[in-house]
Amino acid sequence: MKKIFLLVSSLIFGAALSVSCAAQAEQTPLVTTELMANSIMQRHPEAWTMREFKQLTEPEWGYPYSLVLYGFQKLYVQTGNEKYLAYGKTFVDQLIDKNGKIHGYSQTEFNIDSINPGKLLFLLYEKYKDPRYLTAMQSLRVQLQWQPRTTGGGFWHKNIYPWQMWLDGLYMGAPYYAQFAQVHKESSASFDDIAHQFLLIESKTRDAKTGLLFHAWDESHLQKWANKETGLSPHFWSRSMGWYAMALVDTLDYFPKNHPKRKDLIRLLNELSEALLKVQHPSHLWYQVTDQGDRYGNYLETSGSAMFAYAFAKGYNKHYLPEKYKGIARNIFDGIVKNHTELDSQGMLHLKDTCGSAGLGNEPYRTGTFEYYVSEAIRTDDPHGLGPFILAGVEIAQFK
């Protein structure tokens, strides 16, 4: 009898969660987004602990945290609630000392991922005028000045990944580069360079048949994952195209209206968006390996899908994309909420079905095969999904 009672209780509670999440999809996107943000803060009063699997003992300067906290900054701007700004400020202040030095950061690693957290500093410096923030921002700009490049002028992803450009790297570096260049009134040469990064990697990674972009390109063709004729990695990974799409809409915020390459960036966004719609699942999400939905082991993945929701929503709001993307973005967001979130017994909202991490090369060696991408850990409440979810919710809340 006890086993039957526990089974029935489990079924009732599971059904209640399902109903709650379906009901949550009926709430306004901003209500749902604030619930997710408040749930994150409740689970992790210190933002640097949100990557639970790492079991860190001190904060680290890393893009997954800044991806979430950039969403918190946008939520602060949308709502005016200071707690969202303060949550990220605490994180930043734990990592930047009195001289503006970033704890654990090394310019000479030339890791373009390390540029991304710098986006948090612009709003903080504007609001608090703390010179530490400016010093840290300048050190990141110096890294970009000396970042190693391919023979065609594209930024290497990291010093340990020579001659390689990854779609991920456009999000990590370009929006920061553009915002710094705008704020500090750099010459048009900086914006020429930024546009070149987008156009170069698109020209190398775009598949002529589908319009989708391969994850990465190795100019040397020496990597085991690289096609010996093209240098391309073997598959389309949804999150990598999500990084690229988000990079486009965020960079355009700071790109001069009269720059001759601005229209090219908008064209790239439209072309990729249309290609993505052709492989979208009826549930409004995308598979981990984008075009391989019918293969065993593939799954509907929430970080890439949320990134597309954000890029489409912002693209619509900024008039880069046609009006149809308003409804498409809202459907993606609602599909994630309805089928891939969960309310626990404490009323906290959780995001499921997020790829924990994926890359190429390094040790142990990541081969870029289908089997590799679907074997990476699938996590709940991973920052790679939480950040774009919050960004998408805030952007959709601005629909008119």
Side-chain angles (χ1 to χ4, degrees):
M1 287 295 294
K2 184 177 181 180
K3 288 183 179 179
I4 293 173
F5 174 76
L6 289 173
L7 177 60
V8 172
S9 297
S10 175
L11 289 171
I12 291 172
F13 183 64
L17 285 178
S18 178
V19 170
S20 295
C21 287
Q24 193 63 47
E26 299 300 319
Q27 299 290 334
T28 68
L30 189 59
V31 168
T32 302
T33 303
E34 288 206 74
L35 174 59
M36 184 64 82
N38 290 326
S39 298
I40 293 168
M41 290 190 291
Q42 187 174 340
R43 288 192 295 267
H44 303 289
E46 296 278 3
W48 62 269
T49 66
M50 70 175 68
R51 302 189 80 191
E52 293 178 349
F53 75 98
K54 294 197 74 172
Q55 299 182 323
L56 297 176
T57 57
E58 63 178 3
E60 65 173 357
W61 183 259
Y63 78 83
Y65 314 97
S66 63
L67 180 62
V68 177
L69 297 175
Y70 189 63
F72 271 68
Q73 285 194 347
K74 297 300 183 182
L75 193 55
Y76 157 71
V77 171
Q78 180 72 16
T79 66
N81 193 326
E82 293 277 347
K83 70 179 180 180
Y84 299 129
L85 183 64
Y87 187 60
K89 184 178 186 300
T90 298
F91 171 82
V92 168
D93 288 346
Q94 290 170 324
L95 283 158
I96 298 180
D97 69 17
K98 63 181 180 181
N99 298 313
K101 183 178 179 181
I102 303 169
H103 176 70
Y105 165 69
S106 170
Q107 282 181 340
T108 54
E109 289 180 359
F110 293 110
N111 181 349
I112 207 160
D113 291 345
S114 298
I115 301 295
N116 189 263
K119 293 190 302 187
L120 301 176
L121 301 174
F122 291 100
L123 180 59
L124 293 175
Y125 183 66
E126 180 184 335
K127 185 173 176 66
Y128 299 105
K129 306 301 181 187
D130 189 328
R132 296 179 304 141
Y133 301 146
L134 179 59
T135 299
M137 290 161 64
Q138 290 168 334
S139 69
L140 296 171
R141 180 65 182 90
V142 170
Q143 178 187 322
L144 287 175
Q145 180 181 345
W146 296 103
Q147 188 80 10
R149 295 174 183 250
T150 67
T151 57
F155 288 142
W156 290 9
H157 194 62
K158 300 180 185 181
N159 211 31
I160 62 170
Y161 299 139
W163 308 110
Q164 298 169 44
M165 293 185 76
W166 298 11
L167 294 178
D168 320 30
L170 273 296
Y171 182 78
M172 301 304 160
Y176 179 87
Y177 190 177
Q179 188 170 5
F180 191 98
Q182 185 208 61
V183 169
H184 294 276
K185 297 179 171 55
E186 293 186 9
S187 74
S188 62
S190 293
F191 295 100
D192 295 343
D193 189 24
I194 294 164
H196 181 66
Q197 302 301 316
F198 283 103
L199 290 162
L200 177 61
I201 196 169
E202 194 270 351
S203 72
K204 298 298 183 181
T205 61
R206 185 176 185 271
D207 176 55
K209 181 178 179 181
T210 64
L212 300 174
L213 308 181
F214 290 99
H215 186 178
W217 168 64
D218 169 24
E219 183 180 35
S220 73
H221 300 193
L222 294 175
Q223 289 298 313
K224 287 185 286 185
W225 54 257
N227 182 291
K228 296 311 175 187
E229 294 183 3
T230 65
L232 289 168
S233 57
H235 283 287
F236 307 117
W237 179 38
S238 290
R239 187 154 82 212
S240 69
M241 285 182 280
W243 289 130
Y244 188 77
M246 291 203 304
L248 283 165
V249 294
D250 285 356
T251 297
L252 282 163
D253 283 343
Y254 310 105
F255 220 80
K257 294 289 193 294
N258 61 351
H259 193 282
K261 295 296 183 183
R262 181 181 174 86
K263 63 181 181 298
D264 286 321
L265 300 187
I266 295 172
R267 173 181 58 80
L268 294 179
L269 176 65
N270 276 269
E271 289 175 353
L272 177 58
S273 299
E274 287 297 307
L276 287 166
L277 293 184
K278 294 175 183 177
V279 288
Q280 186 182 26
H281 187 265
S283 69
H284 307 293
L285 276 74
W286 281 262
Y287 280 96
Q288 163 78 339
V289 182
T290 318
D291 65 333
Q292 302 283 309
D294 57 347
R295 289 185 66 174
Y296 179 78
N298 211 356
Y299 61 96
L300 294 169
E301 200 276 331
T302 51
S303 71
S305 298
M307 289 174 175
F308 299 144
Y310 170 64
F312 292 171
K314 189 168 186 178
Y316 163 75
N317 282 336
K318 297 286 188 176
H319 308 294
Y320 309 141
L321 292 174
E323 187 173 359
K324 70 178 182 179
Y325 284 93
K326 176 182 181 181
I328 292 169
R330 180 62 193 265
N331 286 338
I332 300 166
F333 187 81
D334 289 348
I336 294 172
V337 173
K338 184 177 180 181
N339 299 311
H340 301 273
T341 65
E342 183 175 270
L343 275 170
D344 67 20
S345 59
Q346 296 176 293
M348 288 190 290
L349 189 62
H350 300 268
L351 178 65
K352 303 184 294 182
D353 305 317
T354 300
C355 172
S357 181
L360 296 159
N362 212 344
E363 295 296 335
Y365 199 85
R366 298 169 296 180
T367 59
T369 62
F370 173 86
E371 291 74 18
Y372 161 70
Y373 283 111
V374 300
S375 71
E376 282 284 11
I378 303 170
R379 296 198 170 97
T380 295
D381 297 329
D382 189 279
H384 293 92
L386 294 172
F389 181 88
I390 292 170
L391 286 166
V394 171
E395 201 64 41
I396 292 168
Q398 297 173 41
F399 282 171
K400 292 182 173 63

